[in-house]
Amino acid sequence: MARVFSGIQPSGELHIGNYLGAIRNWVQLQDKYESFFSVVDYHAITGSYEPADLRRRTRDMAVSLLASGIDPEKCTLFVQSTVSEHTELAWIFNTVAPLGELERQTQFKDKASRQESILAGLLNYPVLQAADIALYLSDLIPVGEDQIQHLELAREIVRRWNAKFNVDYFIEPKPFLTPTRRIMGLDGQAKMSKSLGNTIGLLDEPSVVWDKLRPAVTDPARVKKSDPGTPEVCNIFQIHKAFSSPETVEHVANQCRTAGWGCIDCKRVLQSSMEAELGPIRARAKELRAAPEVVDDTLATGTIQAKKVASATLNEAKQIMGLR
Ligand code: AQP
């Protein structure tokens, strides 16, 4: 059975960009593949953070994933730092990772421009990511569009390692994209991102969702309600396509093109489509928050399962390298 690995940073709350770009896919894949999903806390320490926040966010992320439909009976869910093989293989991969490629990564350049002093961990982030994937000999990596460049680099690292030792051991991973590859932030300026504060949280209460939707950027050509719009350029329409039924999407597009509705009407319908999907997730998250021991047990079992596969892979790699 083919293997799937994917991770998410506990760098903030799970938002609808992560959900649509990755997690919805995870939920489907766990039925078809041997799946490993991880809360990648080592990745979340490449920027500034408070230890107590990290602890809370890691647990919260696990709650959000379980509430979204990640089922520990069908997949392995674990916290990255509890499986030390990840950092061990990352060091090994550092010895074959090309520095020039690391420096060219868009996410590194974006995030480095927001840091006062640029840390090596931020630069080497994709090396750890390559190790995360390779440890599970995974073929398919469900990610949003923003991670494609990192995956290309992971393929390159794996290719170089295999070539160096003249083996075909690690698998070159392939990205597996969702129909919603990239959700823009509500300001329409950059991709929706935990660290940019331009998100709708997956667990936001309906009133909070509305407070965020109401001022969100739409088609700039619609200054007055009577101005006809172009749905394809509107971020709200893109989110509609992810949450609303095909009939609603078509209706919304018509109302926008003919200026039948103002943007606010379109946003109201979106809020109700979102609530239909997110309401039950919020309810499950509430139950899980009331039972932290269940979440901790699930993660502890996940660690044991993940470690079994990860340590076997690492041992084999070390033997190939002459480290055993
Ligand atoms: N806006 C997005 N649209 C579609 N997919 C997205 N993903 C993230 N943002 C969008 C996908 O979510 C998965 C988990 O991402 P991550 O936490 O590992 O890192 P990220 O891509 O850096 O996510 P953020 O929210 O932007 O976090 P910060 O601000 O901490 O960097 C990935 O599969 C990603 O593609």
Side-chain angles (χ1 to χ4, degrees):
M1 194 194 251
R3 288 232 182 99
V4 160
F5 174 90
S6 202
I8 184 154
Q9 300 183 65
S11 49
E13 60 175 359
L14 187 68
H15 55 76
I16 60 166
N18 301 135
Y19 177 69
L20 300 172
I23 313 306
R24 236 195 206 169
N25 225 355
W26 296 12
V27 172
Q28 308 224 322
L29 291 171
Q30 64 183 350
D31 285 324
K32 299 191 202 119
Y33 300 98
E34 187 182 358
S35 304
F36 293 83
F37 299 126
S38 185
V39 181
V40 289
D41 51 350
Y42 272 143
H43 285 283
I45 60 172
T46 52
S48 59
Y49 71 97
E50 289 294 328
D53 283 347
L54 180 62
R55 203 169 291 120
R56 178 182 51 76
R57 285 173 172 173
T58 301
R59 159 87 66 69
D60 281 354
M61 187 54 78
V63 165
S64 297
L65 295 177
L66 293 166
S68 301
I70 296 300
D71 181 350
E73 297 291 324
K74 297 179 181 172
C75 69
T76 297
L77 176 67
F78 67 102
V79 175
Q80 182 189 32
S81 67
T82 64
V83 180
S84 54
E85 284 79 0
H86 286 248
T87 38
E88 228 181 305
L89 186 60
W91 172 253
I92 289 172
F93 278 175
N94 265 314
T95 63
V96 292
L99 179 62
E101 287 297 325
L102 289 171
E103 286 171 338
R104 269 194 285 281
Q105 298 298 301
T106 312
Q107 200 169 91
F108 168 68
K109 288 194 277 188
D110 279 357
K111 290 194 174 176
S113 69
R114 285 184 254 136
Q115 287 192 357
E116 260 177 41
S117 109
I118 301 163
L119 306 174
L122 187 66
L123 179 74
N124 289 337
Y125 178 117
V127 182
L128 179 57
Q129 194 172 10
D132 297 338
I133 295 165
L135 270 180
Y136 301 92
L137 302 176
S138 330
D139 328 72
L140 274 186
I141 315 299
V143 286
E145 198 175 52
D146 59 317
Q147 292 296 331
I148 289 182
Q149 199 187 20
H150 283 172
L151 274 190
E152 269 309 315
L153 182 52
R155 291 167 67 82
E156 168 83 23
I157 290 172
V158 162
R159 248 194 317 269
R160 283 178 180 235
W161 189 91
N162 283 343
K164 182 166 177 178
F165 300 103
N166 202 18
V167 290
D168 198 9
Y169 182 59
F170 285 119
I171 297 173
E172 288 184 36
K174 287 187 281 303
F176 188 88
L177 292 164
T178 47
T180 317
R181 295 160 166 225
R182 177 184 167 95
I183 291 284
M184 291 298 283
L186 296 176
D187 52 6
Q189 298 294 310
K191 75 157 191 163
M192 187 173 282
S193 202
K194 294 182 217 88
S195 51
L196 294 180
N198 57 2
T199 63
I200 296 183
L202 192 76
L203 304 180
D204 278 349
E205 291 293 333
S207 62
V208 177
V209 172
W210 183 243
D211 286 346
K212 291 179 178 178
L213 277 181
R214 207 175 34 203
V217 168
T218 54
D219 175 0
R222 295 202 73 185
V223 180
K224 299 193 298 297
K225 193 176 168 176
S226 55
D227 293 332
T230 309
E232 290 71 25
V233 304
C234 176
N235 194 27
I236 295 296
F237 183 67
Q238 300 308 322
I239 306 178
H240 256 299
K241 286 205 280 191
F243 282 109
S244 296
S245 68
E247 298 75 38
T248 304
V249 169
E250 204 184 317
H251 187 56
V252 163
N254 278 336
Q255 294 296 334
C256 175
R257 284 195 195 100
T258 59
W261 285 351
C263 292
I264 206 76
D265 306 309
C266 174
K267 288 175 175 175
R268 274 208 191 92
V269 176
L270 174 61
Q271 190 207 7
S272 119
S273 297
M274 287 175 64
E275 182 54 16
E277 182 160 345
L278 303 185
I281 295 180
R282 231 176 24 251
R284 276 198 297 277
K286 206 168 163 190
E287 285 167 21
L288 286 162
R289 280 207 180 114
E293 66 292 347
V294 174
V295 179
D296 291 347
D297 282 356
T298 300
L299 292 173
T301 306
T303 300
I304 294 167
Q305 288 169 351
K307 214 171 167 65
K308 215 162 125 195
V309 178
S311 65
T313 309
L314 186 66
N315 274 333
E316 180 89 30
K318 282 178 162 177
Q319 281 192 3
I320 292 169
M321 295 175 75
L323 291 167
R324 283 281 180 283

